[in-house]
Amino acid sequence: MAKQYWLLKSEPRSFSFDDLARSPKRTTCWEGVRNYQARNLLREMKKGDEAIFYHSNASPPAAVGTVTIVREAYPDAYQFDRKSRYHDASSDPENPRWLMVDVQYGAPFARALSLPELREQRALAKMELLRKGSRLSVQPVTPKEWRAVLRLAGS
DNA sequence: GCCAACGTTGGC
DNA sequence: GCCAACGTTGGC
């Protein structure tokens, strides 16, 4: 099975790429995905896959580095935590609705790639991130797009 | 803060 | 099954 590539969005005010660098083992669980399409993509992730770490709701919004999937999808415990903003009262513990993966810090880009700059790239014309109205927080990235992004980042 | 795009909910 | 109302995401 060939390595797959992904893009993960995070609001830096909640959890930034630097926060991941400072996390124990430079690893975190990717909790809080509450969208079925995004969840289905989490389920397809394989250990060793890589993802672009993207800062949404930032100024400017930007791709800032890479992470590696180090644990494949497992139930997101926060869905059963009444105090969590990710609590989902209608999820059945016998058949958990929401999943998460673990990701590990990979490499920072030599420079952040802002959303406007990404939009200028012809090689990225069809990238999900750049589609009008795209809101998915977990997105597939083609190998071609992956290479184009890393080349642009000078990585 | 505004608002477009999208997903979900729930009445019918 | 339709669709209006509502909530969320996220760029600007």
Side-chain angles (χ1 to χ4, degrees), chain A residues 29-34 39 42 71-79 98-102:
Chain A
C29 58
W30 204 258
E31 80 279 8
V33 171
R34 295 292 179 271
R39 181 212 53 193
L42 287 180
R71 182 176 174 189
E72 295 176 12
Y74 60 104
D76 179 340
Y78 292 86
Q79 67 197 301
W98 304 113
L99 304 172
M100 60 186 177
V101 297
D102 287 356

Side-chain angles (χ1 to χ4, degrees), chain A residues 46-115:
Chain A
K46 297 296 175 201
K47 201 169 170 176
D49 284 359
E50 291 188 273
I52 294 163
F53 197 107
Y54 176 81
H55 281 164
S56 59
N57 248 312
S59 47
V64 293
T66 66
V67 298
T68 303
I69 310 305
V70 292
R71 182 176 174 189
E72 295 176 12
Y74 60 104
D76 179 340
Y78 292 86
Q79 67 197 301
F80 304 120
D81 178 355
R82 289 169 168 278
K83 289 177 195 148
S84 170
R85 60 176 294 225
Y86 299 125
H87 180 240
D88 182 352
S90 61
S91 181
D92 175 7
E94 297 297 309
N95 186 20
R97 178 176 298 172
W98 304 113
L99 304 172
M100 60 186 177
V101 297
D102 287 356
V103 305
Q104 183 169 46
Y105 191 83
F109 290 155
R111 61 193 187 85
L113 303 176
S114 73
L115 185 59

Side-chain angles (χ1 to χ4, degrees):
Chain A
M1 185 73 186
K3 191 200 280 192
Q4 307 173 101
Y5 299 102
W6 310 94
L7 180 143
L8 294 170
K9 290 184 189 174
S10 185
E11 301 196 12
R13 275 160 295 197
S14 310
F15 188 80
S16 70
F17 194 51
D18 284 342
D19 290 331
L20 179 56
R22 289 189 291 263
S23 299
K25 298 183 187 174
R26 293 189 148 196
T27 297
T28 189
C29 58
W30 204 258
E31 80 279 8
V33 171
R34 295 292 179 271
N35 168 285
Y36 289 105
Q37 206 180 337
R39 181 212 53 193
N40 294 344
L41 293 170
L42 287 180
R43 199 152 49 193
E44 291 177 27
M45 290 182 173
K46 297 296 175 201
K47 201 169 170 176
D49 284 359
E50 291 188 273
I52 294 163
F53 197 107
Y54 176 81
H55 281 164
S56 59
N57 248 312
S59 47
V64 293
T66 66
V67 298
T68 303
I69 310 305
V70 292
R71 182 176 174 189
E72 295 176 12
Y74 60 104
D76 179 340
Y78 292 86
Q79 67 197 301
F80 304 120
D81 178 355
R82 289 169 168 278
K83 289 177 195 148
S84 170
R85 60 176 294 225
Y86 299 125
H87 180 240
D88 182 352
S90 61
S91 181
D92 175 7
E94 297 297 309
N95 186 20
R97 178 176 298 172
W98 304 113
L99 304 172
M100 60 186 177
V101 297
D102 287 356
V103 305
Q104 183 169 46
Y105 191 83
F109 290 155
R111 61 193 187 85
L113 303 176
S114 73
L115 185 59
E117 183 175 1
L118 293 171
R119 287 195 191 284
E120 289 171 7
Q121 307 304 314
R122 295 200 55 180
L124 302 179
K126 294 190 176 163
M127 198 174 179
E128 169 67 20
L129 179 72
L130 308 180
R131 242 192 60 239
K132 183 175 180 181
S134 163
R135 294 190 317 179
L136 265 185
S137 65
V138 179
Q139 305 179 0
V141 169
T142 67
K144 205 183 241 179
E145 291 163 349
W146 177 267
R147 286 192 296 271
V149 169
L150 264 67
R151 193 183 321 127
L152 193 61
S155 304

